[in-house]
Amino acid sequence: MSVLALQLAGPLQSWGAAARFARRTTENAPTKSGVIGLLAAAQGLERDADLSALAALRFGVRVDQPGTRIRDFQTAHHADTDAAMPISDRYYLSDAVFVAALQGGDDLITELAQALRAPRYLPYLGRRSCPPSRPLDLGVHTDTELEGVLANQPWRASEWYQKKRRHEATVALPVLMDARGVTPRGALGDTMRDQPLSFDPRHRRYALRAVHHTTVTIANPHARHTPGNRGVLAHDPTSLLDGA
C-alpha cells in the first residue's frame, strides 16, 4: 500500500457536500468527492466513468490553515431568451491551506501521482473558478499509513499565518479521515454524504461516509521562544539603554 499526499492551497476553495439549487455552500475542509473529482480530471476520466477504484481509496485531510468563509452572489441570463435566472448564493474559503492524503494500491497511487504532474484536465479546488496557487503533488509515501503521512508532513500554512502563531512551538491541527473499524472510545465521529458513486451529470450519486476526527501536533518553523517562559518572548524595554 502507498499514500499520495496533496497540498490544496489557493485564493479561493469551495467544497460542497450538500449544495443544491441557488445556494452553494462549502464545507470547512475538502470533501472526498471533491478530491476524487480532482484526481479523475487529472486522469482524463469522463463524467460517466467508473469511479469504484478511486472511491475505494482511503481518504484523509489535515487543516493547516482554515481560511475565512466568504459569501458571493451571482446573476445570470438565459443564453437564448435573455431571461434573468435566479440569483445564486455561493460560499468559499479564502486563503485556506490543506494537506490531503489518499491510501491505496501501489500501482493506482503511482498512476495518480503521474497524472497530477501532467493532468489531462486542469485541476481546481472544488469549483472551476478556484485554481490552486501551489503545486498539488507532495509525493508518494510507501510502507506507511494514512495517519503517519498526515502526522509527519511539515506545516504547510502560509508564512504570515505561521508567524502569527510564533509564540507556539507546536500547533495542533485538525484531521478528518475515513473511519476504519470501530472508532476509539472518546473520539469524535461524523457522517458525510460525499462518497462518490457517479459524477454523471444526468444522475450524480453520493453515499454516506463515516468520518473520524482527531488532531496531530506539528512543529512551528517560525516559533520564537525563550526556555522557561512557555513560549512568550522575553521583553526588556530598557535594553536599548545598555552601555549608555
Side-chain angles (χ1 to χ4, degrees):
M1 302 293 279
S2 299
V3 178
L4 173 64
L6 308 176
Q7 178 178 220
L8 305 175
L12 293 175
Q13 305 186 37
S14 189
W15 306 97
R20 283 182 172 272
F21 307 112
R23 182 178 175 85
R24 303 298 179 91
T25 58
T26 179
E27 299 295 321
N28 293 326
T31 58
K32 185 173 184 178
S33 59
V35 175
I36 292 298
L38 183 155
L39 295 172
Q43 285 185 296
L45 298 184
E46 299 301 327
R47 289 276 187 172
D48 57 356
D50 181 8
L51 299 176
S52 56
L54 293 177
L57 295 171
R58 188 161 179 250
F59 172 73
V61 62
R62 191 181 79 189
V63 182
D64 283 39
Q65 183 174 325
T68 303
R69 186 182 296 267
I70 62 174
R71 172 182 171 269
D72 185 28
F73 75 91
Q74 299 182 9
T75 61
H77 286 76
H78 195 281
D80 297 324
T81 66
D82 200 37
M85 306 294 286
I87 292 177
S88 173
D89 285 316
R90 308 210 174 200
Y91 293 82
Y92 300 87
L93 298 175
S94 174
D95 289 330
V97 182
F98 306 96
V99 173
L102 300 106
Q103 180 178 349
D106 296 340
D107 292 343
L108 177 56
I109 292 297
T110 299
E111 180 184 331
L112 292 174
Q114 293 172 346
L116 280 178
R117 294 169 193 144
R120 176 74 177 277
Y121 300 117
L122 292 178
Y124 50 86
L125 306 179
R127 292 199 186 124
R128 291 188 183 91
S129 59
C130 303
S133 60
R134 302 181 192 174
L136 293 166
D137 182 20
L138 293 179
V140 172
H141 304 261
T142 58
D143 301 323
T144 186
E145 294 285 329
L146 189 73
E147 291 85 348
V149 171
L150 292 174
N152 294 322
Q153 277 289 315
W155 196 17
R156 300 287 176 177
S158 301
E159 184 176 340
W160 65 265
Y161 187 81
Q162 294 181 2
K163 288 181 176 179
K164 278 182 62 176
R165 301 180 65 175
R166 62 187 178 275
H167 301 306
E168 303 173 57
T170 60
V171 292
L173 303 179
V175 172
L176 300 83
M177 67 180 73
D178 286 347
R180 181 165 61 183
V182 179
T183 301
R185 178 173 293 182
L188 297 176
D190 201 356
T191 56
M192 294 183 64
R193 189 172 292 279
D194 69 338
Q195 177 73 18
L197 300 177
S198 172
F199 290 143
D200 189 332
R202 295 166 297 183
H203 186 42
R204 292 186 178 93
R205 293 183 295 128
Y206 306 92
L208 289 173
R209 174 173 67 100
V211 181
H212 169 53
H213 298 250
T214 186
T215 59
V216 295
T217 301
I218 306 294
N220 182 356
H222 289 282
R224 301 178 185 175
H225 65 278
T226 301
N229 70 351
R230 296 185 179 180
V232 179
L233 287 173
H235 175 61
D236 179 2
T238 65
S239 60
L240 295 178
L241 303 177
D242 290 345

